[in-house]
Every structure is written in structure tokens, then in C-alpha cells.
């Protein structure tokens, strides 16, 4: 091995002061640096986002074949509280090939539809996934839905 061979070099400031370049040279250096900078990167087109909500008709089309006792477009049934967890458990048990995301979006679309909200009244029955009545709409839930229906209508008017 050669002992005199440099293995690692460090760039250090020179001990003697370096004279400033002439004015013309400084302008040329700035121009060259500006020209050497890469331009803006070409933007790649963004992938279209999947919609977060689905139409009510599509939601009924997805859910009615699997749970016809609960999801009937002509005779809207109010769903029991936490029905989504029951649907997910039933889906797993039966081996239904429907993603939890689509299941959630479908239930949300149905429960926010005007037909569903119009059915809400104090004392109305709520149904489970087999179509059995398991509860009723309380006064508190009814007031919440009334407030929600009002905000939905005002948002839809202001969006137009």
C-alpha cells in the first residue's frame, strides 16, 4: 500500500484571502446559476378520487340482495342503533364479498336520504338486519333528526 497516497481530502478555506471577482464576472456567475436551475417539474395528472358518498338507489341495490328484510326501497325501515356493526359481523359470517367501506357508505346514504328522514317520528319502530323491531325512536333522536333535516335543506339551498 502506498503511504503517500491521499485517502480522504477535505475542502478547507484557504489561509490566504481570495480576491473578489470582478463585477462582470459576478454578473455572469449569477446568470449561469439562474440558467442552471432546473425548471418546474411537469405535474402529473392526479388520480380521480372516488366519491365519498354513493347514490341512494345504488346503496339499496347493493344491500337489498343480502338483507331484504331491512332494506326495502318501497317500504323504508328505520335501522336500529349500531346496525352497521351487525351488518359487518353478518357479512363476515356469511362470506359476503362487500367491502366494509362500501357497506358503511351505503348505510350512510340510506340513513341520510329524505325518505328515511321523513319516516323518523317519536315512537316509530327501529329494525334489525332480520326485520325484527328492536327499539323505537326517542324524543331526543327525533329532535336531532329535525335539526339535521333543517341543516341539510339549508346547505342544499346555499350550494346551488
Amino acid at each position: 500500500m502506498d503511504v503517500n497516497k491521499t485517502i480522504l481530502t477535505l475542502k478547507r478555506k484557504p489561509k490566504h484571502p481570495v480576491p473578489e471577482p470582478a463585477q462582470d464576472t459576478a454578473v455572469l456567475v449569477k446568470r449561469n446559476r439562474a440558467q442552471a436551475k432546473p425548471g418546474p417539474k411537469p405535474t402529473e395528472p392526479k388520480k380521480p378520487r372516488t366519491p365519498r358518498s354513493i347514490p341512494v338507489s345504488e346503496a339499496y341495490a347493493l344491500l337489498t340482495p343480502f338483507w331484504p328484510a331491512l332494506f326495502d326501497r318501497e317500504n323504508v325501515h328505520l335501522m336500529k342503533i349500531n346496525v352497521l356493526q351487525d351488518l359487518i359481523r353478518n357479512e363476515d359470517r356469511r362470506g359476503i364479498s362487500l367491502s366494509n367501506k362500501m357497506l358503511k357508505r351505503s348505510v350512510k346514504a340510506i340513513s341520510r336520504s329524505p325518505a328515511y328522514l321523513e319516516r323518523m317520528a317519536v315512537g316509530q319502530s327501529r329494525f334489525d338486519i332480520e326485520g325484527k323491531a328492536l327499539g323505537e325512536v326517542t324524543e331526543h333522536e327525533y329532535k336531532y333528526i329535525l335539526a339535521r333535516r333543517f341543516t341539510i335543506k339549508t346547505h342544499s339551498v346555499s350550494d346551488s
Side-chain angles (χ1 to χ4, degrees):
M1 182 170 167
D2 189 12
V3 179
N4 295 333
K5 189 173 182 181
T6 307
I7 298 175
L8 178 66
T9 60
L10 299 174
K11 292 185 178 181
R12 296 185 178 155
K13 291 183 179 180
K15 292 181 181 178
H16 306 297
V18 178
E20 296 268 336
Q23 183 73 15
D24 297 332
T25 311
V27 172
L28 287 175
V29 169
K30 285 182 182 179
R31 274 193 213 145
N32 288 340
R33 284 184 185 162
Q35 291 172 356
K37 288 183 181 178
K41 294 180 182 178
T43 57
E44 296 177 13
K46 293 183 179 180
K47 290 191 262 182
R49 290 180 67 180
T50 57
R52 293 181 182 234
S53 61
I54 62 173
V56 178
S57 57
E58 187 177 325
Y60 274 110
L62 281 172
L63 300 179
T64 301
F66 304 114
W67 299 281
L70 181 59
F71 301 107
D72 182 13
R73 189 155 174 89
E74 283 76 37
N75 187 15
V76 178
H77 293 294
L78 299 178
M79 295 175 270
K80 79 174 197 94
I81 305 295
N82 296 327
V83 75
L84 185 61
Q85 286 81 8
D86 294 343
L87 291 171
I88 290 171
R89 270 188 254 120
N90 189 265
E91 172 192 34
D92 291 340
R93 189 170 38 90
R94 291 172 51 189
I96 297 171
S97 61
L98 186 66
S99 71
N100 289 347
K101 185 186 284 187
M102 283 307 293
L103 186 63
K104 183 177 181 179
R105 287 180 181 170
S106 299
V107 169
K108 186 186 281 188
I110 291 170
S111 66
R112 293 181 178 180
S113 69
Y116 186 88
L117 295 176
E118 287 172 6
R119 288 277 300 185
M120 290 292 273
V122 177
Q124 285 283 3
S125 296
R126 292 181 173 273
F127 297 91
D128 68 351
I129 59 176
E130 288 141 9
K132 298 176 189 169
L134 282 184
E136 293 181 348
V137 177
T138 64
E139 181 73 30
H140 177 71
E141 293 167 346
Y142 180 69
K143 287 180 181 178
Y144 174 79
I145 292 300
L146 281 180
R148 181 153 184 86
R149 282 174 51 190
F150 179 72
T151 57
I152 289 171
K153 288 179 182 176
T154 58
H155 286 303
S156 62
V157 170
S158 64
D159 290 342
S160 328

